[in-house]
């Protein structure tokens, strides 16, 4: 239904590394794009993310330096820092649980309803709880080992698995944001070339927060596209099974 419009957006989006700072820039397009990013699919609807919308010149300048002086960061009108907040799992599991309880108020609970309540009440703590001594990791490892012997089982065990989970969702939000900005007539550049310690300090991020990527945005200049768009042959990466 929207195939040709979507094709156009995907074809038009490029990583643009120089922005025209004299061109008009409508920040409401950023707001709309962030609102759309929030609607991105995310693991268990836990929404363990934050999006720092950096408009202030002095903060942008500090971030540009933390982005190793990359021109995309130096010339962008705004920067969006996509951050994971795994540490918020408890609040967000509770939020989901309360939402479900509200939905189910006065209703006789079906099996599916009970499963949904258990999902946030029991499974999420098991998946996300973390302790400095690794007790939960050991517990998960044992559960996964024994359960996995006889049936397919979700193999989320350690902090690395949890980090992958949160970064996946956050990266999807960044992609929604970038495609939306293209649809709004602007350009973006995702960046992982930054000093994460410095960025955390500039934004005063809590210790548990991790930066997925920083997205520069503005009205791109033609010379901001550094080279033709190339990809290895599709047959190499699309594996039909
Ligand atoms: C996670 C990620 C990190 C990236 N980091 C940088 C970066 O630090 N600096 C940069 O100029 N481009 C960066 N890029 C942009 C890629 O170089 C670019 O997407 C790729 O070359 C394909 O070009 P296209 O986006 O124009 O299709 C990054 C892209 C992604 C997805």
């Amino acid at each position: 239904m929207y195939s040709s419009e979507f094709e156009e957006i995907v074809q038009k989006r490029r990583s643009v590394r120089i922005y025209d700072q004299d061109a008009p820039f409508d920040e409401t397009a950023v707001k709309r794009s962030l609102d759309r990013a929030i609607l991105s699919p995310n693991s268990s609807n836990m929404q363990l993310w934050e999006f720092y919308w950096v408009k202030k010149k002095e903060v942008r300048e500090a971030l540009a330096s933390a982005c190793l002086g990359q021109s995309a960061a130096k010339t962008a009108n705004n920067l969006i820092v996509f951050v994971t907040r795994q540490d918020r799992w408890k609040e967000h599991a509770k939020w989901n649980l309360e939402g479900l309880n509200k939905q189910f108020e006065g209703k006789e609970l079906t099996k599916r309803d009970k499963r949904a309540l258990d999902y946030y009440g029991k499974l999420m703590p098991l998946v996300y709880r973390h302790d400095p001594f690794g007790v939960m990791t050991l517990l998960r490892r044992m559960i996964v080992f024994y359960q996995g012997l006889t049936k397919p089982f979700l193999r989320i065990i350690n902090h690395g698995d949890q980090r992958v989970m949160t970064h996946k969702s956050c990266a999807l939000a960044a992609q929604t944001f970038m495609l939306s900005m293209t649809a709004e007539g602007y350009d973006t550049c995702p960046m992982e070339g930054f000093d994460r310690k410095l960025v955390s300090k500039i934004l005063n991020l809590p210790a548990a927060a991790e930066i997925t990527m920083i997205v520069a945005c503005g009205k791109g200049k033609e010379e901001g596209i550094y080279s033709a768009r190339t990809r290895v042959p599709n047959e190499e990466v699309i594996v039909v099974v």
Side-chain angles (χ1 to χ4, degrees), residues 10-17 67-68 70-72 171 175 178 188-194 212-214 225-231:
V10 170
Q11 294 293 347
K12 173 123 198 356
R13 188 210 60 77
R14 292 296 316 273
S15 293
V16 180
R17 295 169 174 110
C67 288
L68 318 173
Q70 294 195 53
S71 64
Q175 173 71 340
M178 290 188 279
T188 55
C189 184
M191 292 177 285
E192 60 189 348
F194 54 79
T212 302
M213 70 184 87
I214 300 179
I225 296 178
Y226 286 179
S227 57
R229 197 179 217 184
T230 55
R231 294 293 189 264

Side-chain angles (χ1 to χ4, degrees), residues 141-160:
R141 195 175 295 285
M142 280 159 48
I143 294 173
V144 165
F145 177 76
Y146 286 109
Q147 296 286 343
L149 284 176
T150 52
K151 59 181 177 191
F153 203 73
L154 181 67
R155 291 171 193 271
I156 292 176
I157 299 171
N158 57 28
H159 192 42

Side-chain angles (χ1 to χ4, degrees), residues 28-52:
T28 65
V30 179
K31 170 75 172 71
R32 282 190 293 278
S33 299
L34 285 171
D35 290 344
R36 290 168 189 150
I38 285 169
L39 298 180
S40 301
N42 68 93
S43 185
S44 303
N45 202 27
M46 286 288 277
Q47 305 162 68
L48 298 173
W49 56 29
E50 274 177 345
F51 314 130
Y52 287 75

Side-chain angles (χ1 to χ4, degrees), residues 188-218:
T188 55
C189 184
M191 292 177 285
E192 60 189 348
F194 54 79
D195 181 327
R196 63 168 190 246
K197 208 170 151 193
L198 272 181
V199 176
S200 294
K201 196 166 167 220
I202 293 163
L203 297 177
N204 203 16
L205 298 180
E210 291 188 5
I211 303 150
T212 302
M213 70 184 87
I214 300 179
V215 176
C217 50

